[in-house]
Amino acid sequence: MCLLPYDKLSREILPPELIIDNYIQNYRDVSYEEYLTEYVNRSTLFLNLSGGIPYQHTPKSQQCCAECDCRSEKYEFDLKILGTQSSLYAKRNLSLQKVQLTKGVIATCIPREAAENSV
């Protein structure tokens, strides 16, 4: 197993539509895990960790409890590391929402819930 040095870690917060299943209403059903597996397969960092071997996504229906969902022969990880339960809740319910109105047209709408103490 290869460990990633802390000085190589950096993390940008991804928008909710990239890490929450079916975030965009009326858009096709796409698992964020499938999308992000394709994303890491284009990442130099992750391909270096896997020795250049592409990652495979393990579908949710085939995952056991706490099993990694993105794996290669040399490295594997769980895509749930991208957010905590509370941060994903906030992104899902307190962020601006997105709805596909028609093919190629996505509108931004008000959040599902109002944030407490909002101005």
Side-chain angles (χ1 to χ4, degrees):
M1 171 146 330
C2 175
L3 295 177
L4 186 61
Y6 284 116
D7 65 335
K8 298 288 184 186
L9 287 176
S10 67
R11 180 174 155 189
E12 296 291 328
I13 297 174
L14 295 173
E17 57 267 28
L18 297 184
I19 58 174
I20 299 174
D21 282 344
N22 305 317
Y23 182 79
I24 301 175
Q25 294 178 25
N26 302 327
Y27 196 62
R28 59 191 166 137
D29 293 332
V30 177
S31 167
Y32 77 91
E33 293 177 353
E34 293 174 40
Y35 167 80
L36 289 176
T37 299
E38 291 300 317
Y39 183 82
V40 300
N41 278 328
R42 304 307 184 272
S43 164
T44 304
L45 172 70
F46 282 104
L47 285 176
N48 284 339
L49 291 171
S50 71
I53 300 167
Y55 291 84
Q56 301 296 316
H57 172 252
T58 303
K60 289 180 183 182
S61 62
Q62 297 176 9
Q63 292 177 27
C64 296
C65 188
E67 183 178 16
C68 292
D69 37 36
C70 192
R71 52 179 76 225
S72 72
E73 291 177 20
K74 294 187 176 187
Y75 196 79
E76 59 185 36
F77 60 96
D78 194 335
L79 293 165
K80 291 170 194 67
I81 64 173
L82 298 173
T84 63
Q85 186 174 5
S86 61
S87 70
L88 292 177
Y89 172 85
K91 285 178 186 245
R92 165 62 92 184
N93 297 298
L94 304 176
S95 298
L96 292 173
Q97 301 297 293
K98 297 194 178 169
V99 177
Q100 179 174 318
L101 301 175
T102 188
K103 187 175 182 178
V105 179
I106 296 178
T108 301
C109 307
I110 62 172
R112 292 177 182 209
E113 297 176 17
E116 289 184 28
N117 303 321
S118 61
V119 177

